[in-house]
Amino acid sequence: MTRHRAKQLEYDYPLPKMLAGKKKVYEEVFINSGGEATEEDAYKHLRAIQQQHDTEHGWNCPGGIHEGVFQDTDKKWYAYRHQGQYRIQ
């Protein structure tokens, strides 16, 4: 995965407009700023993102290629997550 490819997820694989009777109100590909020195630290950052943006708060991420970590050209590791927030309208 690359930064460009992660950002493209939103366009190539848009999340559904409706999910479980809720309407999508926001969609993003979150990439942590600054990066991490190690892959392990990037995965820790990803776990924090998952906890802060959980289903209890209306967030959904299909998993698989939609979240993970990558090493960028600056040799730092970055967590990314393609996620949407859903609410009953």
Side-chain angles (χ1 to χ4, degrees), residues 3-4 9 17 25-26 30 35 37-39 45 47-48 50 52 57 71 77 85 87:
R3 177 178 297 277
H4 175 74
L9 290 170
K17 292 180 181 184
V25 295
Y26 185 72
F30 177 86
T38 68
E39 183 178 17
H45 198 120
R47 286 189 290 278
Q50 292 166 332
Q52 293 168 358
H57 293 96
Q71 190 175 31
W77 289 89
Q85 190 172 37
R87 294 196 179 126

Side-chain angles (χ1 to χ4, degrees), residues 16-30:
K17 292 180 181 184
M18 296 291 292
L19 183 67
K22 297 178 181 179
K23 183 178 179 182
K24 178 175 65 178
V25 295
Y26 185 72
E27 181 174 358
E28 70 177 355
V29 175
F30 177 86

Side-chain angles (χ1 to χ4, degrees), residues 29-52:
V29 175
F30 177 86
I31 299 176
N32 75 299
S33 61
E36 307 293 344
T38 68
E39 183 178 17
E40 182 180 330
D41 287 342
Y43 273 110
K44 287 179 186 176
H45 198 120
L46 177 59
R47 286 189 290 278
I49 296 166
Q50 292 166 332
Q51 289 173 352
Q52 293 168 358

Side-chain angles (χ1 to χ4, degrees), residues 61-81:
C61 174
I65 65 167
H66 295 273
E67 62 184 352
V69 302
F70 64 89
Q71 190 175 31
D72 210 351
T73 56
D74 62 2
K75 303 300 181 201
K76 292 184 180 180
W77 289 89
Y78 294 84
Y80 73 92
R81 188 169 196 238

